[in-house]
Amino acid sequence: MVRRRVPLVTLALVAVGLVAGGFWWWAVLRLLLAPGETGPVEGAVAAGGWGLSLLPVHVAASSRRRGARSGTSGK
């Protein structure tokens, strides 16, 4: 069996992602369960996380070359 070491940077990025996800869930659950006690920080964290979840859909790479036109015959 081959053992591969995971780079420290990768572990740090995973840890940061898990912490950020935890903060997002905390904000969303607090907004849902105690809406009268929440402040602008919870709203900003929840809205920011939701906005980031849409980013990969709208920033996906295109399979066409840059400058190529679709539906033209090249004339």
Side-chain angles (χ1 to χ4, degrees), residues 10-52:
T10 303
L11 290 175
L13 287 175
V14 168
V16 167
L18 288 173
V19 169
F23 279 137
W24 184 82
W25 275 108
W26 168 76
V28 169
L29 289 175
R30 206 165 135 88
L31 282 169
L32 289 174
L33 300 175
E37 298 176 12
T38 57
V41 173
E42 286 92 349
V45 169
W50 180 78
L52 284 175

Side-chain angles (χ1 to χ4, degrees), residues 1-6:
M1 184 184 224
V2 177
R3 287 189 166 192
R4 296 183 184 178
R5 296 183 66 99
V6 178

Side-chain angles (χ1 to χ4, degrees), residues 39-67:
V41 173
E42 286 92 349
V45 169
W50 180 78
L52 284 175
S53 71
L54 295 178
L55 188 64
V57 175
H58 298 290
V59 187
S62 176
S63 62
R64 290 186 292 150
R65 284 186 329 202
R66 201 174 272 218

